[in-house]
Amino acid sequence: MTTNGARPPAVRERCYPSDTTDAAWAVLEPLLPVPARELPTGGRPEKHPRRNVVDAIRYVNDNGCKWRSVPVDFGIPWRTVCGFFQRWRASGDLARIHAELHQLVRLHDGLNPNTVAVILDSQSVKGAETVGQDTRGFDGGKLINGRKRHLAVDMRGMALAVMVTKASPHDSIPARDQLFRLRLTHPELAVA
């Protein structure tokens, strides 16, 4: 029970493959940003359990669906789920959580927690009819009209950075931008 006598909202039953396990939630929960009500400036208590919010965000990510398609059994309006995601992304909390989880995995495997070598690669993907002309390009080498996804991974294949561009520029152009961003987030990387 809360101090005003109201019951806290219930965490829903886990039923989707993208739902967090109890073990994963135990690792992830302390990494989430502090709720506004616990900050010195104060704020309203959150209306929905954070685990439900995280599971709804993971559902959208896993299924590649629109925010509006968040199932009602999460018990959270889709705008609320989208709002949490956008706030956490804009504040850098999602990038911080990703980096901390990456380090935990490396430590668990007995490796240096900081990545010192990366592999860059890209893949051209045909754009659907719904993809606007301003965000697609023609890759003459692959003969694909669409987008290109650029991925930076560590030596074990764990993703460090993902970037999507038009398919038209040569890989060296987005690679410079991606390396610059990687250097900001991973200063331990050496440039050879």
Side-chain angles (χ1 to χ4, degrees), residues 102-165:
H102 186 260
Q103 287 182 340
L104 286 173
V105 169
R106 290 182 61 86
L107 281 171
H108 178 268
D109 293 344
L111 300 171
N112 180 339
N114 297 317
T115 302
V116 293
V118 298
I119 301 167
L120 299 179
D121 199 5
S122 67
Q123 179 183 27
S124 295
V125 181
K126 184 177 178 183
E129 294 301 319
T130 57
V131 175
Q133 287 296 104
D134 58 330
T135 62
R136 70 161 82 201
F138 185 74
D139 181 352
K142 305 277 195 237
L143 302 178
I144 291 178
N145 184 1
R147 294 179 176 164
K148 201 177 270 190
R149 50 187 173 213
H150 307 270
L151 188 64
V153 298
D154 69 3
M155 300 305 285
R156 305 196 59 232
M158 292 194 301
L160 294 172
V162 178
M163 194 168 78
V164 178
T165 65

Side-chain angles (χ1 to χ4, degrees), residues 11 24 27 52 60 68 83 98 131 136 143 153 167 184 189:
V11 175
V27 172
N52 290 359
V60 170
R68 289 178 186 262
H98 179 265
V131 175
R136 70 161 82 201
L143 302 178
V153 298
L184 292 175
L189 291 174

Side-chain angles (χ1 to χ4, degrees), residues 176-189 191:
R176 275 186 240 133
D177 186 33
Q178 193 168 31
L179 286 171
F180 177 77
R181 292 178 188 195
L182 271 171
R183 190 76 170 131
L184 292 175
T185 57
H186 296 279
E188 69 277 4
L189 291 174
V191 178

Side-chain angles (χ1 to χ4, degrees), residues 22 34 53 59 106 110 135 159 168 176:
D22 291 338
V34 177
V53 172
Y59 179 89
R106 290 182 61 86
T135 62
S168 48
R176 275 186 240 133

